Amino acid sequence: MAEKFTLVPSELFSEETARETLSEVVLLEEGEPLSFLDVPFCQAVLVYAGQRRPAVYDMLMSLCKIRHHNKIMASISDDVLSLVVAQGDRLQFCNCFKAGDFTTALYYIFMVLKKLQINPEISTLYFTSGNVSQEQLTSLFRYFKSAEILQ
């Protein structure tokens, strides 16, 4: 199962309603521990279930390192694609998908970019370190301006 999380605008976040807010978007088990972290880049709070923070947190915190207008960051781990997309300083998308292989992950990336009307040919796709092979990275140059591993 994919990670259980949601982003809540900082001005709407309340510790007292965090469980209710998260349960509106994912199925929570009774007594499942809840945590939350501030995400200043998008003036939001990441509310998540479990002890391990979701991959999207580090991705969101790394968006400020990207100097391009289109900020597309992906992570593939344990058959889950985590994807974060921003344009300028505005977060456009943050979610994860079950993706058992690289081709499926690409399908979701292209689906999101099409929905957001972002042209991949003028955009760089960033991966978090260590989650994509050099061969896979090179294959992305057919679709993207560039593909890089963000350190």
Side-chain angles (χ1 to χ4, degrees):
M1 183 62 195
E3 297 170 319
K4 299 177 183 181
F5 66 86
T6 192
L7 279 170
V8 179
S10 297
E11 66 271 5
L12 300 177
F13 175 74
S14 161
E15 286 187 39
E16 294 78 32
T17 61
R19 180 170 295 283
E20 179 183 339
T21 301
L22 184 58
S23 68
E24 290 176 8
V25 294
V26 297
L27 182 61
L28 292 175
E29 313 236 347
E30 190 172 327
E32 194 167 12
L34 216 62
S35 300
F36 35 87
L37 293 166
D38 190 42
V39 185
F41 174 82
C42 51
Q43 293 99 33
V45 176
L46 180 69
V47 179
Y48 61 97
Q51 302 295 330
R52 198 177 88 183
R53 77 176 176 225
V56 295
Y57 176 75
D58 293 325
M59 295 166 68
L60 289 165
M61 297 303 282
S62 295
L63 284 176
C64 61
K65 294 179 183 177
I66 300 173
R67 299 292 175 221
H68 299 94
H69 178 71
N70 294 336
K71 302 169 183 355
I72 307 163
M73 189 175 295
S75 172
I76 303 170
S77 179
D78 299 327
D79 293 336
V80 173
L81 165 70
S82 298
L83 183 63
V84 174
V85 180
Q87 289 183 294
D89 291 336
R90 186 173 170 91
L91 182 66
Q92 298 291 324
F93 186 85
C94 176
N95 210 339
C96 59
F97 302 94
K98 189 80 169 147
D101 56 55
F102 189 70
T103 302
T104 303
L106 285 182
Y107 166 81
Y108 287 119
I109 292 168
F110 286 120
M111 178 190 70
V112 168
L113 295 181
K114 182 177 180 180
K115 183 78 170 166
L116 295 174
Q117 299 180 0
I118 294 175
N119 184 352
E121 293 175 352
I122 61 168
S123 302
T124 299
L125 174 61
Y126 294 91
F127 283 91
T128 58
S129 59
N131 61 2
V132 63
S133 72
Q134 189 59 48
E135 181 181 319
Q136 291 169 329
L137 198 64
T138 303
S139 73
L140 293 171
F141 284 93
R142 289 181 279 173
Y143 311 107
F144 290 88
K145 175 183 169 185
S146 181
E148 299 177 19
I149 295 176
L150 189 66
Q151 300 298 337

